[in-house]
Amino acid sequence: LRLVQHQPPAAPMSEITATLERELGPEMLANIAAMRAEPLAIASVAQVHVAWLRDGRKVVCKVQHRGLDTTTRQDIRHAHRIARFLARLSSDIDYVASVDEACALHADEVDFRLEAANLAGVKAGLARACVSARVPDVIACTSRVLVVTFCEGRSLAAVLLPTAAGAASDRRAAGSGEAWQGSEGSSAPAASLA
């Protein structure tokens, strides 16, 4: 399982706060009181940070990696070129249609507005089915930033390997180090959120 869970390096906090400022705007950004500098999770599309709103709610901020939109457009353009080339070599498979579908799905993956809509759909579907489950509430969303209420959970590794993963999870949950603490017009790091 660890082999398929490669974690890219964390983006610096200055990059995360710059994206939050650009995407959310000053009014919503002013609602974020503090944010842990150490990411809760990092993936190929984004990294996630735990934060607290001024009203005390614990949230997570999913922030897309800088330049991902450009890389995605380039990937899609290259995939279409390859599909057209393969289509000239063989007409047995409709490469262009297959690549069109895959590229549309890939483009959707990097638009967090779709993820926010899906969360709302899941929440509504569970309510209609009378299923009691916690689904995060969307606090703010743009195509590159998603802020939702924090829901406690366990990783797949913690479920499958409770002793080793539990110890690592406990260390992450304790959290330490520098954190971003917002205030009117400020993005200065705070000493700690402990």
Side-chain angles (χ1 to χ4, degrees):
L1 186 59
R2 278 187 223 118
L3 294 175
V4 297
Q5 292 182 327
H6 169 72
Q7 185 170 325
M13 198 61 184
S14 59
E15 185 178 309
I16 297 302
T17 55
T19 300
L20 289 170
E21 289 171 343
R22 186 175 52 255
E23 292 290 317
L24 296 179
E27 188 175 315
M28 179 57 206
L29 190 63
N31 286 326
I32 299 175
M35 178 181 290
R36 274 204 190 125
E38 182 181 342
L40 178 66
I42 307 170
S44 58
V45 171
Q47 69 187 47
V48 178
H49 289 266
V50 175
W52 290 264
L53 300 181
R54 295 219 178 273
D55 65 10
R57 285 182 290 172
K58 188 175 182 180
V59 297
V60 292
C61 299
K62 182 176 181 180
V63 181
Q64 192 176 101
H65 295 302
R66 184 178 58 185
L68 186 69
D69 49 347
T70 303
T71 303
T72 299
R73 283 194 304 274
Q74 289 172 346
D75 289 348
I76 289 171
R77 194 170 47 250
H78 294 314
H80 282 114
R81 284 185 188 146
I82 292 168
R84 287 191 301 273
F85 173 76
L86 291 172
R88 281 186 250 135
L89 296 178
S90 171
S91 61
D92 294 341
I93 299 173
D94 189 351
Y95 293 103
V96 174
S98 297
V99 167
D100 283 346
E101 184 177 348
C103 288
L105 293 171
H106 183 56
D108 285 348
E109 271 186 43
V110 299
D111 187 342
F112 294 164
R113 294 171 298 193
L114 180 60
E115 185 173 342
N118 288 340
L119 280 171
V122 166
K123 192 172 204 164
L126 290 171
R128 279 192 306 275
C130 297
V131 174
S132 178
R134 288 185 61 192
V135 178
D137 292 320
V138 175
I139 305 298
C141 183
T142 71
S143 62
R144 299 188 63 217
V145 171
L146 177 60
V147 181
V148 298
T149 52
F150 182 87
C151 291
E152 198 68 51
R154 293 173 51 193
S155 71
L156 181 58
V159 172
L160 297 176
L161 307 166
T163 55
S169 177
D170 290 345
R171 283 192 303 276
R172 273 196 312 279
S176 63
E178 186 179 273
W180 177 76
Q181 187 166 351
S183 64
E184 300 284 328
S186 168
S187 60
S192 175
L193 288 178

